[in-house]
Amino acid sequence: MDSPSQIQGYTIAEVTSGYREIEQRWLVVESLLRRETDLKQLTKQLDKQQKIQQAAIPKLSTQEFNCELDVRQAAQQLACQMKYHQMENIQVVEKAHYHKSGRPSQKQSPDRLRYHLQANLVLNTQAITASQNKAGRFILATNLTDIEHWTPTDILQEYKKQSVSERGFKFLKDPIFFVSSIFVKSSKRVAALAMIMALCLLTLLGSDRFVPILSQKIKLFPINAASLLNLPLSVGFSNVFKLFI
């Protein structure tokens, strides 16, 4: 059942379930913007897979197999690798080989028999439709069962706030932070480094308010500080922070 969302561009469907006597709420959220992005990515994947599979079938058709069973097993292995395509009109072609060159007589028996695959490549419409239906959708699960205090929109808003924490971890993993180039052996220095990283992360979280203030009082810094503040937040703020070191 769809539920209206106060956040523009989102539609929410909610279901409830229980696991080990714990009531849970499951929200299926569809983002219009994310759906458009996912559909574009799906189109690119279809074009890429089309080229790959169109080359894979002729390549497999040139291979020789000792029996019909081997051909069908190879075709099955190739079919398992296809996500948005499938093979139809699969046929096993028998080909006789002779040691002597030239056209064999009708009574001459072949020295050996080899088998080849013939098949046509088509789109798997069922798989494509399933991916299109999933585009732009994700699931949120929670044990906040009080619907009056926690509406589906409230839960979605809390989920979107996690981007602040994720941005902080992204900053710590950024090469500009030079964590990977620092080696400390003492446990005290490890603790000190962790404290410095935490302080930098807390400073970054408050930089949304701090950077505008720096922009207003830019005369307190060297001349090139103005250009540093125009960089992405984590990079620009780290460069400004180095001015104090």
Side-chain angles (χ1 to χ4, degrees):
M1 179 178 179
D2 292 343
S3 175
S5 175
Q6 297 177 0
I7 305 178
Q8 186 177 2
Y10 287 89
T11 304
I12 304 176
E14 179 179 351
V15 295
T16 58
S17 65
Y19 177 73
R20 292 189 177 182
E21 299 181 355
I22 300 177
E23 188 177 357
Q24 301 175 355
R25 297 168 64 190
W26 294 73
L27 307 180
V28 180
V29 184
E30 180 177 286
S31 169
L32 181 60
L33 181 61
R34 183 172 175 177
R35 177 176 175 79
E36 293 177 354
T37 302
D38 290 349
L39 290 177
K40 290 181 181 178
Q41 291 295 329
L42 178 60
T43 302
K44 292 181 180 180
Q45 290 182 15
L46 289 174
D47 294 339
K48 181 179 180 180
Q49 290 298 320
Q50 181 77 16
K51 295 178 181 178
I52 294 175
Q53 302 306 334
Q54 280 182 341
I57 292 181
K59 183 179 180 180
L60 184 60
S61 299
T62 59
Q63 295 184 17
E64 295 183 348
F65 296 90
N66 294 324
C67 63
E68 181 177 348
L69 180 60
D70 292 343
V71 177
R72 297 194 180 277
Q73 288 179 347
Q76 182 64 30
Q77 291 178 358
L78 180 59
C80 292
Q81 300 175 6
M82 297 180 180
K83 186 175 181 180
Y84 300 112
H85 297 81
Q86 60 186 4
M87 291 185 291
E88 66 176 12
N89 299 330
I90 299 177
Q91 297 180 358
V92 178
V93 180
E94 182 182 275
K95 186 177 181 180
H97 293 266
Y98 300 88
H99 287 310
K100 295 182 179 180
S101 59
R103 185 175 181 179
S105 63
Q106 296 182 354
K107 296 181 179 181
Q108 185 179 356
S109 300
D111 297 305
R112 58 189 175 92
L113 293 176
R114 292 296 181 264
Y115 300 86
H116 298 264
L117 171 71
Q118 283 189 357
N120 297 328
L121 181 69
V122 295
L123 291 174
N124 188 341
T125 56
Q126 185 176 358
I128 295 175
T129 301
S131 297
Q132 290 175 340
N133 292 335
K134 293 179 182 178
R137 296 179 180 178
F138 57 94
I139 297 176
L140 299 179
T142 179
N143 57 358
L144 299 174
T145 57
D146 191 347
I147 300 179
E148 294 183 358
H149 291 84
W150 289 97
T151 64
T153 301
D154 294 335
I155 296 175
L156 178 59
Q157 288 177 340
E158 289 297 320
Y159 168 76
K160 291 174 68 67
K161 290 180 182 179
Q162 292 183 358
S163 60
V164 178
S165 301
E166 293 174 354
R167 187 185 63 179
F169 283 105
K170 181 180 179 181
F171 169 71
L172 293 178
K173 295 179 180 180
D174 196 291
I176 198 172
F177 201 67
F178 297 110
V179 175
S180 60
S181 61
I182 300 176
F183 175 77
V184 289
K185 196 171 183 180
S186 170
S187 59
K188 293 182 179 180
R189 293 186 177 182
V190 172
L193 178 61
M195 178 61 69
I196 294 174
M197 293 170 62
L199 290 175
C200 290
L201 179 58
L202 290 174
T203 306
L204 176 65
L205 296 178
S207 60
D208 288 335
R209 298 181 180 180
F210 187 60
V211 170
I213 297 176
L214 287 178
S215 301
Q216 295 176 0
K217 299 182 179 181
I218 199 66
K219 294 181 181 180
L220 298 177
F221 297 91
I223 298 175
N224 63 343
S227 60
L228 294 178
L229 291 175
N230 292 327
L231 295 172
L233 187 58
S234 60
V235 179
F237 188 78
S238 299
N239 290 334
V240 173
F241 186 75
K242 290 179 182 178
L243 297 174
F244 298 93
I245 300 178

